[in-house]
Amino acid sequence: MNIYFSEKFEKKLLEIERTNPKLNRKIKKTIKLFSVDPSYPSLRLHKIQISHNYSISVDMSMRIIVHWRKNDALFLNIGSHNEVY
């Protein structure tokens, strides 16, 4: 699978890396897991409305929004449920 990051996602990821290294490791693990097996249960992958956007869970409080089609995934946003929806 081809993984891409939006500018917004990269900025938020850098901020998290600086402020919360433990969470940053979880995020990187989640991204790797998604690239290998998007249907892995702990990701809690689900489609958002009528689009090609999906939500995956890093943990119970952190979500990643992904635009996903065939073999390409663009990571759009990361944050709490209220921040990304």
Side-chain angles (χ1 to χ4, degrees):
M1 176 176 307
N2 301 309
I3 302 287
Y4 306 96
F5 302 113
S6 71
E7 187 175 323
K8 182 178 187 175
F9 184 87
E10 286 181 334
K11 284 181 183 178
K12 286 189 171 188
L13 192 57
L14 283 173
E15 183 180 326
I16 292 168
E17 189 175 333
R18 285 192 300 264
T19 60
N20 193 338
K22 185 177 179 181
L23 179 58
N24 188 55
R25 285 189 295 278
K26 279 182 163 181
I27 294 166
K28 289 184 178 185
K29 182 179 177 184
T30 300
I31 293 168
K32 179 155 179 71
L33 185 57
F34 178 82
S35 71
V36 173
D37 183 5
S39 63
Y40 195 81
S42 71
L43 296 175
R44 294 182 288 284
L45 175 76
H46 63 277
K47 194 168 187 176
I48 302 172
Q49 298 176 2
I50 304 170
S51 69
H52 289 283
N53 292 346
Y54 292 79
S55 174
I56 57 176
S57 296
V58 175
D59 58 25
M60 294 308 287
S61 63
M62 182 69 59
R63 306 285 187 274
I64 297 174
I65 305 300
V66 180
H67 182 80
W68 181 31
R69 293 188 83 172
K70 296 185 181 181
N71 205 30
D72 294 321
L74 173 61
F75 284 64
L76 298 170
N77 202 358
I78 185 168
S80 69
H81 182 277
N82 291 338
E83 291 172 333
V84 299
Y85 284 98

